[in-house]
Amino acid sequence: MFTLGGSLMARSLDRGGRRAVGARLRRLLPPIWAFGLVAVGLLVYAGWRTPPPTTLGWADLVWWLFPARVPPVGGDAWAWTFVAVLWYITTYLWLVLLSPALLALFRRWPWPSLAAAVLLPVAMLFDVVTVGGYFAEQADHVSAYLALWMLGFAHHDGLLRRIPARRYALGVGVLAVAGAVWVCVAALTTTGTFDLNRIPAGKTLWSIAFVAAVLRFRPRVEWLERIKPLDRVVDLLNGRAVTIYLWHMPAALLAALLFTPSGFEPGVTEIVLRLALVWLLVGIAVVLFGWVEDLAARRRPTLLPRPSAPRAAGAGAAGTGGPPAPALPALPAGPTAPIGPTPATVAALVPAGPAVPPAVSMPPAVAVPPDRPVGRPTGHWNRLMVAGVAAVAVALAGAAAKVVPGPVGGNEQVQAENARYLSDMLLVVDGTPAVDQPEPEPRTRPGAVDLDGATYPNAVVVAAPSRLRVTPPTGCEQLRAVIAVADADADDVEVTFTVQADGEAVYGSGPRTRVSAAEQIDIGIPAATVVDLVATSATGNASAIWADARFVCPS
């Protein structure tokens, strides 16, 4: 979707110059203001009185007005749901702000600048380029997706169509193989997981290869208006994309809290009902807050977006009189994303030579034969490219499914076990601070940790005191993990780990400190419907590590 955003941004800059940046911000910011007003209001009502533990303190709330950085949300256990997805908004915002300079640089040196963007996350990984300080996290995200954004520039300017099919296919193949090899090596030697979010350089190489292959397609969407219900759904998703994206995570957590006492056994029925509840809650949010997107677009506010004008044949392509480009492209698919690209937004990628003001320097137009096939890629090399990328994708998925994550290079050997890691499951976090003690900032940070010389790639790190509640998969009767204390203010800060099955304590660690050796636990939880992982501390100001916490199930 960053490629789509880059292509649409180039078109907007060609039409409106630097005013396009202001127009994008005008479309993006008001829905975030409404979202932030509700979030901050709920947090203050719930008792948020402690300033954020940052250099700016309460001044960090300014990022709710202009999200160049993920804003603070206080210490309530459910607060993270309001910021978990804002990384995409902040990354998109930075790329929009940088686009005038990036587009000028790209049109001066097209391929060298695109190559530099591809290599940037590699350079940052090996500290050839370092960005630290207050905006370090945002710099990491921008570096990971900059190449895809600039690939959108290349697509908009017609440069990709100039490349002969053979060279294009070979280039995509090299990038796909390089990305896949990078991901596999990193997964087997350092991260212990095939999660691309933890392998930024490999993610960039693989993503740009995959997207470049997709850009060989030139879909038509005239058929869409003939299916009126589907066409209306597309209009709704496009007209409320920002609202849906912002509110889907709070809706998912609320659905989990409402659904947990239902008693449904895990399975297809449970998944369908849970998703239906999530979409119902998202729909309520769309009705309550979606009209803000109408105001941002300078339209008359309505509860639901109005149907779009009928599409002419071939409409929807950039510069062909299709519907206006959305302020924010369809948002990224993933574990928490509600929607992906719709036919209308995919159609916006079809190049058709937009009008360019004389003052804009642009590569010469590329003549495209009027009878050029539209739809799936044609030609031997294009078919080979698509088949090759698909094969690599299947191989990566197969490797991810067969390799059991576990400690890398540590004392524990990776054993063949049917395991479900808590870092991959929905966790309900409930802070349980000690009486008359300041409440720490509850958080869950799935990721790799190093303990006593061993790397555990599927750790969950939470504030102490805290409680994690999770529903064990059907048939899983063992819980295994490695526990440790981190981030304590002093060596004598104590944390006690407790595991409860259906409210009954089945394990207690006794007091532990940050100098205590990591301890492996293996606990039976037969027939448990709910498992709580509790970390208690009389003083707080510490983190509890549940490293490689997993349910072990029969093969």
Side-chain angles (χ1 to χ4, degrees), residues 159 257 271 286 400 493 507:
L159 297 185
L257 294 174
I271 293 174
V286 166
V493 173
Y507 169 80

Side-chain angles (χ1 to χ4, degrees), residues 175-449:
L175 287 170
V177 171
V181 169
W182 193 298
V183 169
C184 290
V185 171
L188 297 175
T189 60
T190 55
T191 65
T193 174
F194 286 84
D195 183 355
L196 293 181
N197 290 321
R198 304 181 192 178
I199 313 172
K203 174 175 65 177
T204 296
L205 294 170
W206 166 247
S207 297
I208 200 167
F210 187 90
V211 172
V214 170
L215 292 180
R216 232 36 180 179
F217 289 83
R218 303 183 66 240
R220 288 190 181 277
V221 293
E222 306 90 79
W223 58 269
L224 184 61
E225 65 180 4
R226 296 195 293 269
I227 308 175
K228 297 300 182 182
L230 181 58
D231 191 41
R232 186 70 183 106
V233 169
V234 171
D235 288 336
L236 174 61
L237 295 179
N238 280 341
R240 297 293 185 261
V242 182
T243 302
I244 293 171
Y245 183 69
L246 290 174
W247 286 98
H248 82 274
M249 180 58 80
L253 181 63
L254 181 58
L257 294 174
L258 294 175
F259 201 84
T260 297
S262 64
F264 279 94
E265 291 292 328
V268 175
T269 301
E270 186 261 352
I271 293 174
V272 171
L273 292 176
R274 188 188 293 265
L275 287 176
L277 181 57
V278 171
W279 275 107
L280 175 62
L281 295 173
V282 169
I284 294 173
V286 166
V287 171
L288 292 177
F289 306 107
W291 55 270
V292 178
E293 293 196 58
D294 291 330
L295 291 179
R298 295 179 178 173
R299 298 189 299 258
R300 182 179 177 181
T302 58
L303 289 180
L304 297 176
R306 299 178 184 277
S308 61
R311 299 174 179 85
T320 60
L328 187 68
L331 298 152
T336 61
I339 59 173
T342 63
T345 55
V346 171
L349 277 174
V350 182
V356 180
V360 178
S361 174
M362 185 174 174
V366 179
V368 179
D371 58 347
R372 179 178 175 179
V374 176
R376 63 184 182 181
T378 59
H380 174 69
W381 284 103
N382 284 335
R383 287 194 293 269
L384 271 179
M385 174 191 66
V386 172
V389 170
V392 174
V394 170
L396 279 176
K402 293 177 182 178
V403 175
V404 179
V408 178
N411 297 324
E412 180 182 347
Q413 298 296 320
V414 178
Q415 300 177 355
E417 60 181 26
N418 185 11
R420 291 287 305 278
Y421 284 82
L422 270 66
S423 59
D424 298 327
M425 302 172 67
L426 178 63
L427 304 176
V428 177
V429 187
D430 176 24
T432 56
V435 178
D436 298 329
Q437 297 294 335
E439 184 173 353
E441 182 182 355
R443 61 198 185 279
T444 59
R445 302 200 306 265
V449 298

Side-chain angles (χ1 to χ4, degrees), residues 54 58 510:
T54 62
W58 285 117

